[in-house]
PDB file of all heavy atoms in Angstrom:
ATOM      1  N   TYR A 127      28.130  35.287  14.873  1.00  0.00           N
ATOM      2  CA  TYR A 127      27.267  34.379  14.124  1.00  0.00           C
ATOM      3  C   TYR A 127      26.807  35.119  12.882  1.00  0.00           C
ATOM      4  O   TYR A 127      26.394  36.274  12.955  1.00  0.00           O
ATOM      5  CB  TYR A 127      26.098  33.908  14.982  1.00  0.00           C
ATOM      6  CG  TYR A 127      26.591  33.024  16.101  1.00  0.00           C
ATOM      7  CD1 TYR A 127      26.920  33.561  17.344  1.00  0.00           C
ATOM      8  CD2 TYR A 127      26.788  31.669  15.897  1.00  0.00           C
ATOM      9  CE1 TYR A 127      27.415  32.762  18.356  1.00  0.00           C
ATOM     10  CE2 TYR A 127      27.283  30.862  16.909  1.00  0.00           C
ATOM     11  CZ  TYR A 127      27.595  31.407  18.132  1.00  0.00           C
ATOM     12  OH  TYR A 127      28.100  30.606  19.121  1.00  0.00           O
ATOM     13  N   GLN A 128      26.925  34.438  11.755  1.00  0.00           N
ATOM     14  CA  GLN A 128      26.637  35.059  10.465  1.00  0.00           C
ATOM     15  C   GLN A 128      25.598  34.255   9.702  1.00  0.00           C
ATOM     16  O   GLN A 128      25.727  33.046   9.559  1.00  0.00           O
ATOM     17  CB  GLN A 128      27.935  35.123   9.657  1.00  0.00           C
ATOM     18  CG  GLN A 128      27.774  35.625   8.236  1.00  0.00           C
ATOM     19  CD  GLN A 128      29.103  35.679   7.530  1.00  0.00           C
ATOM     20  OE1 GLN A 128      29.975  36.435   7.923  1.00  0.00           O
ATOM     21  NE2 GLN A 128      29.259  34.878   6.493  1.00  0.00           N
ATOM     22  N   VAL A 129      24.587  34.961   9.204  1.00  0.00           N
ATOM     23  CA  VAL A 129      23.597  34.366   8.313  1.00  0.00           C
ATOM     24  C   VAL A 129      23.812  34.990   6.944  1.00  0.00           C
ATOM     25  O   VAL A 129      23.782  36.215   6.802  1.00  0.00           O
ATOM     26  CB  VAL A 129      22.149  34.611   8.788  1.00  0.00           C
ATOM     27  CG1 VAL A 129      21.150  34.075   7.774  1.00  0.00           C
ATOM     28  CG2 VAL A 129      21.928  33.984  10.162  1.00  0.00           C
ATOM     29  N   THR A 130      24.066  34.149   5.955  1.00  0.00           N
ATOM     30  CA  THR A 130      24.220  34.596   4.573  1.00  0.00           C
ATOM     31  C   THR A 130      22.979  34.160   3.814  1.00  0.00           C
ATOM     32  O   THR A 130      22.667  32.971   3.762  1.00  0.00           O
ATOM     33  CB  THR A 130      25.469  33.966   3.921  1.00  0.00           C
ATOM     34  OG1 THR A 130      26.609  34.281   4.730  1.00  0.00           O
ATOM     35  CG2 THR A 130      25.674  34.477   2.506  1.00  0.00           C
ATOM     36  N   VAL A 131      22.248  35.133   3.276  1.00  0.00           N
ATOM     37  CA  VAL A 131      21.070  34.830   2.470  1.00  0.00           C
ATOM     38  C   VAL A 131      21.504  34.911   1.017  1.00  0.00           C
ATOM     39  O   VAL A 131      21.868  35.982   0.519  1.00  0.00           O
ATOM     40  CB  VAL A 131      19.903  35.799   2.765  1.00  0.00           C
ATOM     41  CG1 VAL A 131      18.699  35.465   1.900  1.00  0.00           C
ATOM     42  CG2 VAL A 131      19.544  35.749   4.247  1.00  0.00           C
ATOM     43  N   ASN A 132      21.522  33.759   0.370  1.00  0.00           N
ATOM     44  CA  ASN A 132      22.015  33.675  -1.004  1.00  0.00           C
ATOM     45  C   ASN A 132      21.042  34.303  -1.985  1.00  0.00           C
ATOM     46  O   ASN A 132      19.831  34.282  -1.782  1.00  0.00           O
ATOM     47  CB  ASN A 132      22.285  32.210  -1.359  1.00  0.00           C
ATOM     48  CG  ASN A 132      23.405  31.637  -0.515  1.00  0.00           C
ATOM     49  OD1 ASN A 132      24.448  32.256  -0.374  1.00  0.00           O
ATOM     50  ND2 ASN A 132      23.183  30.478   0.069  1.00  0.00           N
ATOM     51  N   ALA A 133      21.613  34.847  -3.056  1.00  0.00           N
ATOM     52  CA  ALA A 133      20.822  35.547  -4.066  1.00  0.00           C
ATOM     53  C   ALA A 133      19.806  34.623  -4.727  1.00  0.00           C
ATOM     54  O   ALA A 133      18.667  34.992  -4.937  1.00  0.00           O
ATOM     55  CB  ALA A 133      21.737  36.151  -5.122  1.00  0.00           C
ATOM     56  N   GLU A 134      20.215  33.424  -5.047  1.00  0.00           N
ATOM     57  CA  GLU A 134      19.325  32.464  -5.699  1.00  0.00           C
ATOM     58  C   GLU A 134      19.504  31.117  -5.054  1.00  0.00           C
ATOM     59  O   GLU A 134      20.593  30.757  -4.645  1.00  0.00           O
ATOM     60  CB  GLU A 134      19.668  32.309  -7.183  1.00  0.00           C
ATOM     61  CG  GLU A 134      19.194  33.435  -8.043  1.00  0.00           C
ATOM     62  CD  GLU A 134      19.417  33.120  -9.514  1.00  0.00           C
ATOM     63  OE1 GLU A 134      19.358  31.936  -9.901  1.00  0.00           O
ATOM     64  OE2 GLU A 134      19.668  34.055 -10.261  1.00  0.00           O
ATOM     65  N   THR A 135      18.420  30.386  -4.993  1.00  0.00           N
ATOM     66  CA  THR A 135      18.479  29.018  -4.509  1.00  0.00           C
ATOM     67  C   THR A 135      18.389  28.099  -5.711  1.00  0.00           C
ATOM     68  O   THR A 135      17.464  28.235  -6.506  1.00  0.00           O
ATOM     69  CB  THR A 135      17.298  28.719  -3.561  1.00  0.00           C
ATOM     70  OG1 THR A 135      17.332  29.676  -2.516  1.00  0.00           O
ATOM     71  CG2 THR A 135      17.383  27.322  -3.004  1.00  0.00           C
ATOM     72  N   PRO A 136      19.337  27.195  -5.880  1.00  0.00           N
ATOM     73  CA  PRO A 136      19.236  26.261  -7.008  1.00  0.00           C
ATOM     74  C   PRO A 136      17.934  25.458  -6.912  1.00  0.00           C
ATOM     75  O   PRO A 136      17.524  25.089  -5.812  1.00  0.00           O
ATOM     76  CB  PRO A 136      20.448  25.347  -6.827  1.00  0.00           C
ATOM     77  CG  PRO A 136      21.356  26.073  -5.907  1.00  0.00           C
ATOM     78  CD  PRO A 136      20.505  26.964  -5.064  1.00  0.00           C
ATOM     79  N   PRO A 137      17.274  25.235  -8.020  1.00  0.00           N
ATOM     80  CA  PRO A 137      16.019  24.471  -7.966  1.00  0.00           C
ATOM     81  C   PRO A 137      16.270  23.042  -7.503  1.00  0.00           C
ATOM     82  O   PRO A 137      17.313  22.469  -7.785  1.00  0.00           O
ATOM     83  CB  PRO A 137      15.504  24.495  -9.404  1.00  0.00           C
ATOM     84  CG  PRO A 137      16.691  24.831 -10.234  1.00  0.00           C
ATOM     85  CD  PRO A 137      17.645  25.608  -9.372  1.00  0.00           C
TER      86      PRO A 137
END
Side-chain angles (χ1 to χ4, degrees):
Y127 292 92
Q128 174 179 296
V129 175
T130 304
V131 179
N132 295 313
E134 283 187 31
T135 304

